[in-house]
Amino acid sequence: MKKSSMDKEHKQSKLVLKENGSIGLVYRLETAQAVSLAKKVAEFLKERGFDVFTCPDQKVVAGTKAAKTKKHMDDLKLVIVLGGDGTYLRAVRLLEGRSVPILGFNMGSLGFLTAHSADSCFDIIEKTLDGKMVQRPRSMIHSKILRKGKVRAEYHALNDMVIERGSMSQLINTAIYSEKFLVSQVKADGFIVASPSGSTAYNLAAGGPICHPESPVFVVTPVAPHSLTSRPLLFPDDRELSFRLEGKTQKAHFIVDGQKMTELTADDEVIISRSCYDHWMVREANHNYFHLLREKLKFGDRN
């Protein structure tokens, strides 16, 4: 497998934007506040000599161009996200593995990925244009779904991939393998495979551990397991994991970063590995992950 850039330089690198570069906007859909801010951000960037594009699958922001072609997306030097973590994940999907950094502003209720306040939007953008911000890599997850030995789908995720029973009444019986060795066979509502970035999302709600974002691991957390001995597990992310439904009538939903992608049957094998792509996240140079935990989750708060 191709080595990720995080293995080479996992700390951070300075973000430098050239004048007259292209910047993309992704905003929270059908939200007047986000659309209004997007218009102001577009004007702010254009005054500083940047070409501003509205990324695909959104109404074009006034005063910007529509990013309609592959070349438009390839030419982007930065994407600015105005919304919540769901909007941020949509921006990651739109980039399709391109190593374009994302600067996120929170207009939602929590905001782990969109760590900057919308109130500080223009100050933070100014810092970014002045080369005072850094970009930090986050590992991503790759999944390959085989049906009778043939690849039928592949996906990349920043946060997590989930196998769940959905509206089906029975628990799903799933066998988990690491490098072809059987780890366990578990009955549960489903399984979450999370990256370190995704450890504070669905994984945390299901009782999984919080991982530092630079940890080279996968987190596998069962959802409502039938047995008390079924616990979350950490695996090195340089190894392959695989999942199989046991029982000919078993079916499950396969969900990637909150989006249902396909239905799994007992004929499918899901193979999980670290993606060859890293995601680049824009942060202030003094950004402190533990401060973010305390601010967003009240981590360690005894009151």
Side-chain angles (χ1 to χ4, degrees), residues 31-250:
T31 305
Q33 184 186 7
V35 173
S36 174
L37 184 57
K39 290 178 183 176
K40 293 174 184 175
V41 168
E43 291 169 6
F44 185 83
L45 293 171
K46 287 170 67 180
E47 286 171 2
R48 284 153 181 77
F50 289 90
D51 288 330
V52 187
F53 287 82
T54 299
C55 289
D57 303 328
Q58 308 169 106
K59 186 176 179 181
V60 177
V61 174
T64 73
K65 305 169 189 175
K68 293 180 179 179
T69 68
K70 180 179 180 296
K71 187 178 186 307
H72 286 155
M73 295 300 291
D74 289 344
D75 288 345
L76 294 179
K77 305 303 179 190
L78 175 71
V79 168
I80 294 176
V81 169
L82 307 169
D85 285 355
T87 309
Y88 194 102
L89 291 172
R90 180 160 54 84
V92 174
R93 286 193 295 276
L94 289 172
L95 287 175
E96 296 180 330
R98 294 174 178 88
S99 55
V100 179
I102 294 182
L103 174 61
F105 293 98
N106 182 32
M107 303 183 77
S109 57
L110 189 57
F112 263 96
L113 300 174
T114 51
H116 303 102
S117 166
D119 294 336
S120 64
C121 179
F122 297 101
D123 288 340
I124 294 293
I125 292 175
E126 191 77 71
K127 275 185 166 184
T128 304
L129 302 183
D130 289 344
K132 295 178 181 178
M133 301 287 276
V134 297
Q135 51 183 348
R136 297 186 175 188
R138 295 285 183 95
S139 64
M140 295 180 67
I141 305 170
H142 173 254
S143 66
K144 184 166 54 179
I145 300 176
L146 305 181
R147 177 162 289 177
K148 297 182 179 179
K150 294 183 179 180
V151 178
R152 71 175 183 88
E154 292 188 67
Y155 306 101
H156 296 268
L158 176 59
N159 263 4
D160 51 39
M161 298 189 177
V162 178
I163 299 170
E164 70 170 23
R165 66 176 178 148
S167 59
M168 298 163 193
S169 59
Q170 293 183 333
L171 299 179
I172 52 175
N173 190 15
T174 310
I176 309 167
Y177 295 84
S178 173
E179 297 291 319
K180 305 301 180 183
F181 294 102
L182 178 65
V183 175
S184 184
Q185 202 171 47
V186 181
K187 279 189 175 182
D189 280 354
F191 285 90
I192 304 161
V193 181
S195 69
S197 298
S199 68
T200 50
Y202 188 15
N203 168 73
L204 184 62
I210 296 173
C211 299
H212 189 279
E214 293 174 8
S215 305
V217 297
F218 298 125
V219 188
V220 178
T221 299
V223 179
H226 187 61
S227 170
L228 292 176
T229 59
S230 298
R231 299 293 181 180
L233 291 167
L234 294 176
F235 292 90
D237 69 2
D238 60 353
R239 300 182 188 178
E240 279 190 351
L241 302 177
S242 60
F243 296 78
R244 284 182 176 274
L245 300 179
E246 297 293 310
K248 291 183 179 180
T249 61
Q250 291 273 276

